[in-house]
């Protein structure tokens, strides 16, 4: 039984910590790799692919925040879990889990600061893109 992915239940776990409250955008994207070598079987399968975890994260200098994690752990490879339909505990047909290892990198562009806003609840954010070390896996079995 397939389940449509909604827009409000996503759970993001990075290095065993739930950072769902720290993100407003979370996407896994794919594109052609820029490898200098593509084997014949790779070419037959459509070419090599790169997979990237793209996040919009809240700027938060607390040492337990995702923003600080990105600041402090750049260059590290860490495990991630993306649960598109929430839960974060038990994978299954209605709560699939996508897993992989990403390399933490600092963003190109704004990392600290941003535009002024008269709202007293708006916060600064930044965009990060972390490449997966291999194609992520999806688990839909309980």
């Amino acid at each position: 039984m397939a389940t449509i992915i909604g827009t409000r239940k996503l759970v993001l776990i990075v290095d065993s910590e739930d950072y769902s409250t720290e993100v407003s955008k979370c996407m896994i994207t794919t594109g052609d790799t820029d490898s200098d070598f593509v084997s014949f079987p790779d070419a037959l399968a459509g070419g090599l692919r790169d997979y990237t975890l793209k996040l919009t994260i809240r700027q938060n200098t607390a040492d337990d925040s995702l923003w600080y994690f990105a600041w402090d752990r750049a260059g590290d490879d860490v495990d991630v879990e993306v649960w598109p339909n929430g839960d974060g505990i038990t994978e299954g047909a209605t709560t699939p889990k996508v897993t992989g290892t990403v390399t933490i990198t600092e963003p190109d562009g704004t990392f600290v600061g941003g535009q002024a806003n008269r709202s007293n609840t708006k916060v600064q954010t930044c965009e990060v893109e972390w490449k997966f070390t291999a194609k992520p896996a999806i688990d839909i079995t309980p």
Side-chain angles (χ1 to χ4, degrees):
M1 174 182 187
T3 300
I4 303 298
I5 295 174
T7 61
R8 300 181 302 166
K9 293 183 178 180
L10 185 133
V11 173
L12 173 67
I13 297 173
V14 178
D15 203 31
S16 301
E17 294 293 325
D18 185 344
Y19 287 109
S20 304
T21 61
E22 300 282 322
V23 298
S24 62
K25 180 177 80 175
C26 178
M27 302 183 302
I28 296 174
T29 64
T30 183
D32 290 334
T33 189
D34 60 359
S35 176
D36 289 335
F37 178 80
V38 177
S39 70
F40 288 105
D42 291 336
L44 181 63
L48 297 175
R49 308 292 291 171
D50 282 332
Y51 296 85
T52 304
L53 180 64
K54 293 185 177 187
L55 305 170
T56 299
I57 60 176
R58 173 176 40 198
Q59 292 181 26
N60 179 354
T61 59
D63 65 1
D64 62 349
S65 72
L66 185 57
W67 180 90
Y68 188 81
F69 187 91
W71 181 275
D72 190 51
R73 301 280 303 270
D76 290 354
D77 290 342
V78 298
D79 294 332
V80 296
E81 299 177 11
V82 177
W83 298 73
N85 280 330
D87 189 67
I89 300 168
T90 307
E91 61 274 7
T94 59
T95 54
K97 172 176 71 169
V98 180
T99 60
T101 301
V102 297
T103 302
I104 304 300
T105 56
E106 295 179 355
D108 288 332
T110 304
F111 201 2
V112 179
Q115 293 183 319
N117 189 295
R118 65 184 193 177
S119 168
N120 62 359
T121 58
K122 187 163 176 68
V123 298
Q124 303 291 359
T125 61
C126 67
E127 308 274 334
V128 296
E129 296 185 8
W130 298 338
K131 286 198 182 276
F132 282 91
T133 59
K135 181 179 182 177
I138 187 164
D139 190 353
I140 58 170
T141 58

